[in-house]
Amino acid sequence: MLTGLAMPARAQLAVDRLWVDFEPRSTPRADVIVRNESKDRYYITVTPSEIVNPGTDKEQRVEQADPEKLGLLVTPNRLILDPGAIRSIRIVSLNADLKSDRIYRVKISPEVGDIDTPAAGDNHAVAIKILAAYDVLVTARPRNAKAQLVTTRGTDDLVIRNDGNTNILLFDGQLCPPGADDKAAPDAKPAEGKPACEAVGSHRIYPGASWDLKTQTAADSLHAKARSFASIDPKNVTFP
C-alpha cells in the first residue's frame, strides 16, 4: 500500500515584464500582461506596496489602501484567469513634481482551487501545486532625474554611493585587480601570469543608498554595464 505519495503538478503563470519605469515626461500609465499557460483556473491577487528607504538598512515595504496617498493606482486588484486566458493589469502613477524617486513593488499572487487526484485501489496520492508569485518593480522618477555615483575606497572594499535623485542599475559587473583582462568572459581562465577578475553580478543603487564591494587589492576597478532608464540601452562604465 502506498500512502502520501507526492506528485508535482505543473503550474505556469507568465508575466510580460518585471520592471515598469515611469521615466521623466513619459506617459504615467502602463499595462502588465499576465497569461495563464496552465490547465488550471487561477485566482489572482494584485497587491501594490511602496518601498521606503530602498537599498538601505531602513528599507520597508508599506501597503496603503488609498491610491492617492500611495501615489500609485493598480487595477484590477483581483482577477480570475482561465486556462489560456490573457489579461492586463493597469498601473498608473499619480505622482507629480517628485524631488526624488518613489519605488514600488506590485505583487501578483496566483492561487488555485482544490486539486483532485484519482486514487487507484489502495494507492493514494497527494498533488502539490508549486505557484510562484511575481514582484514587479515600479519606479516613478522626478522630471530632472539623474543618478550621481561617487566612489570611496577602503583597504579591502570599494563603495559606490548614489548622491543623485534617481536609481541606476549596474549589471554584468567584474571586479578586476590591476593587470587583469576585464574583457575576458566571466568564466574564462586568466592568461598565464595575469590575475583574475571576479564576477559581482548586478545591483540597483537607489538615491541615498550604496553598493559595498569587497576587493582583492586596494587598486581593484569595477567594469560593468549601467542602465539609467528602461528605454535606454546600457552603456559600459568603469569605476577605477
Side-chain angles (χ1 to χ4, degrees), residues 5-53:
L5 177 63
M7 300 190 311
R10 191 178 182 86
Q12 294 178 330
L13 177 70
V15 176
D16 74 328
R17 60 167 124 176
L18 293 175
W19 179 20
V20 173
D21 192 17
F22 292 119
E23 302 177 16
R25 291 171 288 277
S26 67
T27 303
R29 62 182 180 276
D31 290 331
V32 173
I33 308 300
V34 293
R35 182 175 66 254
N36 185 353
E37 297 181 344
S38 78
K39 296 181 180 179
D40 299 304
R41 169 179 283 184
Y42 283 157
Y43 301 87
I44 297 175
T45 302
V46 183
T47 309
S49 305
E50 182 173 11
I51 308 302
V52 180
N53 299 314

Side-chain angles (χ1 to χ4, degrees), residues 190-202:
E192 186 176 353
K194 282 193 172 185
C197 294
E198 178 186 359
V200 292
S202 62

Side-chain angles (χ1 to χ4, degrees), residues 149-231:
L149 300 183
V150 179
T151 60
T152 56
R153 287 187 176 276
T155 54
D156 61 353
D157 67 349
L158 170 65
V159 179
I160 304 174
R161 188 180 70 254
N162 186 354
D163 286 345
N165 63 358
T166 197
N167 72 91
I168 187 169
L169 176 65
L170 301 181
F171 63 102
D172 288 350
Q174 290 192 72
L175 199 57
C176 300
D181 183 7
D182 64 286
K183 298 180 178 59
D187 57 351
K189 292 183 179 180
E192 186 176 353
K194 282 193 172 185
C197 294
E198 178 186 359
V200 292
S202 62
H203 196 88
R204 188 178 295 275
I205 309 179
Y206 295 97
S210 59
W211 187 14
D212 191 346
L213 295 160
K214 296 302 178 183
T215 57
Q216 301 177 58
T217 76
D220 283 10
S221 58
L222 175 67
H223 306 267
K225 294 180 180 178
R227 170 162 282 172
S228 299
F229 306 126
S231 65

Side-chain angles (χ1 to χ4, degrees), residues 1-2 7 10 30 51 65 72 80 83 94 101 106 131 138 140 145 171 174 185 188 197 199 203 210 232:
M1 178 183 298
L2 297 177
M7 300 190 311
R10 191 178 182 86
I51 308 302
L72 201 71
I80 298 174
L94 304 178
D101 285 353
V106 176
L131 300 180
V138 180
F171 63 102
Q174 290 192 72
C197 294
H203 196 88
S210 59
I232 298 178

